[in-house]
């Protein structure tokens, strides 16, 4: 079998790349070892795929080479993807500013991509293991469950390591190393935190409670909700900060973002001296949370009315509410992480064509590269943009 382009991975980036190469007149084959195309798209965004973010720019991505993503993101913008799904009649909603989700189901995105593949004449072979990829002069050869396949260009779109049950493997990293590319250390990103015994039990008691917070590690801060779970902390704010968190780091969580708790408590003492601290907390937090907070931090004097609270005690509460310091014991890891931090170093990859510099017949796109977006639709936009740039230049 001979193809102009063989794409390894029928995920977001691989399908998008295949469509572009197909429309450019290339004979294109997409291979995947999974039994279905676009499994991560299907389960993303709680089944409704947050397929882009209208505010996409390089500042929402992590990479050792922060400029690498700029060119592709500028050339294929969120409006281009919106225009594509509009043509396929996919309905969508802006759930949070800039974050576009399917109105009904992620299936609409996979159907769009598979329909485009069909129109572009792309062949897709699922359930196909690939054992080797080799260079043959100016071309490539793949050893697969279907036999030997010759390709003018091989595009590696195998994604990251998160959620192995959805088909994730490190095959893309192995190929990168085989051809002399550096692979930067990988770790789970956009992943819930786990807590140790005392805090784990406290979080479990509050499982299901969500509160707006601002969470920081070092200079990085995200103001988005925190969700308590049976294992620890999740919700958008925790997922976001997990991408910069390293084992051993302390999280600083502002439970009252935008309010100086110590000052507000002093004002309350002046204006409502007979009020209890528990009442003040109850005005700001869900009831279960207000009660738990008292349990976590209480001293006997907290039982007294505000008029009898010392400045020191109010300062202590201010600190606990605006700067709750917590050391997670870890994260839930690859089992639930949405993305992979790190990956194939971009230094030896062209940001225009995604070919390996000096070896145009081998290319890497999507999440397998050391480019990882924040939460909010940025990761799919990267998959689309890198897929288009590569596919159009194959
Ligand atoms: P992707 O992972 O999509 O595809 C890789 C493909 O390669 C898979 O089909 C896999 O089977 C195949 N493959 C792997 N190894 C192989 C091998 N050895 N041989 C053959 N095939 C192989 N992002 C976002 O922007 N908005 C969102 O709402 C979400 N939500 C979300 C939820 C969950 C639960 C997860 C896990 C992830 C998200 N994401 C997200 C992230 C997003 O899904 C991710 O960044 C993109 O799918 C990456 O696209 P790729 O095409 O690079 O990899």
């Amino acid at each position: 079998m001979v193809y102009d382009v063989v794409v390894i991975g029928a995920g977001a980036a691989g399908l998008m790349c295949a469509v572009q190469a197909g429309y450019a007149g290339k004979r294109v084959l997409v291979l995947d070892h999974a039994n279905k195309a676009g499994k991560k798209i299907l389960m993303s965004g709680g089944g409704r795929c947050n397929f882009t973010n209208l505010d996409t720019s390089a500042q929402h991505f992590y990479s050792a080479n922060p400029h690498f993503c700029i060119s592709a993101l500028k050339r294929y913008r969120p409006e281009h993807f919106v225009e594509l799904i509009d043509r396929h009649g996919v309905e969508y909603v802006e759930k949070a500013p800039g974050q576009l989700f399917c109105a009904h189901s992620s299936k609409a995105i996979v159907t769009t991509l598979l329909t485009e593949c069909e129109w572009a004449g792309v062949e897709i072979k699922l359930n196909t293991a690939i054992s080797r990829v080799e260079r043959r002069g100016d071309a490539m050869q793949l050893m697969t469950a279907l036999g030997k396949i010759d390709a003018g260009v091989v595009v590696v779109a195998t994604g990251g390591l998160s959620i192995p049950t959805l088909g994730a493997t490190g095959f893309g990293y192995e190929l990168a190393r085989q051809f002399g590319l550096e692979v930067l250390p990988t770790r789970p990103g956009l992943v819930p935190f786990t807590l140790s015994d005392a805090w784990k039990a406290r979080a479990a008691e509050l499982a299901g409670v969500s509160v707006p917070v601002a969470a920081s590690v070092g200079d990085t801060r995200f103001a988005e909700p925190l969700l308590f779970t049976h294992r620890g902390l999740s919700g958008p704010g925790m997922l976001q900060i997990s991408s910069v968190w390293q084992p051993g780091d302390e999280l600083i969580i502002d439970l009252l973002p935008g309010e100086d708790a110590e000052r507000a408590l002093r004002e309350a003492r002046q204006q409502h001296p007979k009020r209890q601290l528990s009442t003040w907390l109850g005005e700001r937090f869900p009831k279960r949370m207000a009660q738990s907070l008292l349990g976590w931090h209480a001293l006997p004097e907290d039982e007294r009315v505000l008029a009898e609270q010392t400045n020191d005690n109010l300062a202590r509460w201010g600190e606990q509410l605006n700067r709750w310091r917590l050391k997670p014991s870890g994260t839930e890891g690859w089992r639930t992480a949405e993305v992979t931090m790190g990956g194939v170093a971009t230094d030896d990859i062209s940001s225009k064509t995604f070919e390996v510099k000096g070896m145009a017949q081998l290319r890497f796109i999507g999440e397998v590269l050391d480019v990882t977006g924040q939460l909010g639709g940025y990761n799919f936009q990267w998959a689309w943009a890198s897929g288009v740039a590569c596919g159009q230049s194959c």
Side-chain angles (χ1 to χ4, degrees):
M1 286 186 275
V2 182
Y3 290 86
D4 297 316
V5 179
V6 171
V7 180
I8 307 178
L15 293 174
M16 196 60 160
C17 172
V19 168
Q20 303 299 323
Y23 282 137
K26 306 290 178 189
R27 191 162 177 229
V28 184
L29 173 68
V30 181
L31 298 175
D32 204 301
H33 66 159
N35 59 355
K36 238 189 216 175
K39 278 191 174 182
K40 274 195 190 160
I41 303 175
L42 290 173
M43 86 170 293
S44 66
R48 287 174 57 196
C49 188
N50 178 195
F51 55 80
T52 193
N53 193 306
L54 298 174
D55 180 37
T56 296
S57 66
Q59 73 188 43
H60 296 288
F61 291 84
Y62 304 103
S63 173
N65 180 1
H67 299 296
F68 179 79
C69 62
I70 294 174
S71 167
L73 291 175
K74 272 199 176 152
R75 280 182 289 155
Y76 191 81
R77 296 189 306 277
E79 309 86 78
H80 293 121
F81 192 77
V82 169
E83 191 245 326
L84 168 70
I85 61 168
D86 273 344
R87 278 195 279 117
H88 287 260
V90 177
E91 292 177 54
Y92 55 88
V93 288
E94 188 170 353
K95 260 178 74 173
Q99 298 180 14
L100 302 189
F101 284 73
C102 292
H104 307 293
S105 161
S106 312
K107 264 192 206 152
I109 300 293
V110 176
T111 304
T112 297
L113 292 169
L114 293 179
T115 305
E116 288 280 328
C117 278
E118 199 204 322
W119 293 351
V122 171
E123 284 179 57
I124 300 176
K125 302 273 186 215
L126 302 172
N127 296 307
T128 304
I130 300 141
S131 51
R132 281 194 69 72
V133 177
E134 281 168 7
R135 183 177 183 166
R136 286 272 187 272
D138 284 345
M140 303 292 285
Q141 191 172 67
L142 300 94
M143 258 54 83
T144 77
L146 302 172
K148 278 186 189 158
I149 300 174
D150 290 302
V153 171
V154 166
V155 179
V156 182
T158 45
L161 292 170
S162 61
I163 321 218
T165 50
L166 290 182
T169 71
F171 188 57
Y173 306 132
E174 285 166 34
L175 288 179
R177 288 192 193 100
Q178 178 191 332
F179 290 98
L181 297 175
E182 188 186 357
V183 178
L184 298 175
T186 54
R187 65 189 160 83
L190 299 180
V191 61
F193 287 111
T194 52
L195 298 174
S196 59
D197 299 345
W199 283 111
K200 186 180 174 191
R202 290 167 176 170
E205 249 174 48
L206 289 175
V209 171
S210 169
V211 282
V213 303
S216 328
V217 169
D219 292 338
T220 310
R221 184 175 188 268
F222 287 99
E224 290 187 58
L226 171 157
L227 172 73
F228 291 95
T229 74
H230 287 286
R231 287 178 291 272
L233 304 176
S234 186
M238 294 299 108
L239 298 185
Q240 292 279 35
I241 205 74
S242 75
S243 293
V244 295
W245 180 84
Q246 301 276 358
D249 280 350
E250 187 176 60
L251 284 182
I252 299 185
I253 302 175
D254 184 349
L255 291 168
L256 286 175
E259 184 171 24
D260 179 333
E262 182 186 353
R263 195 155 87 199
L265 277 164
R266 283 173 178 241
E267 282 168 10
R269 181 174 61 184
Q270 218 172 9
Q271 287 159 19
H272 310 285
K274 295 269 177 286
R275 194 169 284 179
Q276 296 279 342
L277 180 62
S278 56
T279 311
W280 187 90
L281 289 170
E283 287 163 355
R284 284 162 176 77
F285 297 100
K287 202 168 160 206
R288 273 164 74 198
M289 170 106 185
Q291 278 165 357
S292 288
L293 280 169
L294 277 169
W296 298 352
H297 303 302
L299 293 180
E301 53 262 45
D302 293 332
E303 298 291 318
R304 301 179 200 145
V305 293
L306 287 175
E308 293 167 22
Q309 301 286 340
T310 60
N311 285 349
D312 278 356
N313 201 33
L314 297 189
R316 181 177 71 86
W317 271 97
E319 183 72 11
Q320 273 149 2
L321 294 172
N322 286 135
R323 279 172 297 281
W324 174 30
R325 292 166 182 277
L326 186 67
K327 266 196 187 171
S329 56
T331 70
E332 290 187 8
W334 298 117
R335 191 177 60 78
T336 61
E338 288 198 10
V339 290
T340 299
M341 308 298 293
V344 178
T346 56
D347 298 345
D348 292 321
I349 308 279
S350 156
S351 62
K352 302 263 182 311
T353 62
F354 290 81
E355 66 197 45
V356 174
K357 288 177 187 165
M359 193 180 168
Q361 62 273 49
L362 181 65
R363 300 171 187 227
F364 290 81
I365 56 171
E367 201 184 315
V368 72
L369 289 167
D370 168 38
V371 176
T372 311
Q374 295 173 350
L375 190 75
Y378 302 108
N379 285 294
F380 279 130
Q381 188 58 34
W382 171 244
W384 316 137
S386 57
V388 168
C390 177
Q392 286 180 346
S393 62
C394 274

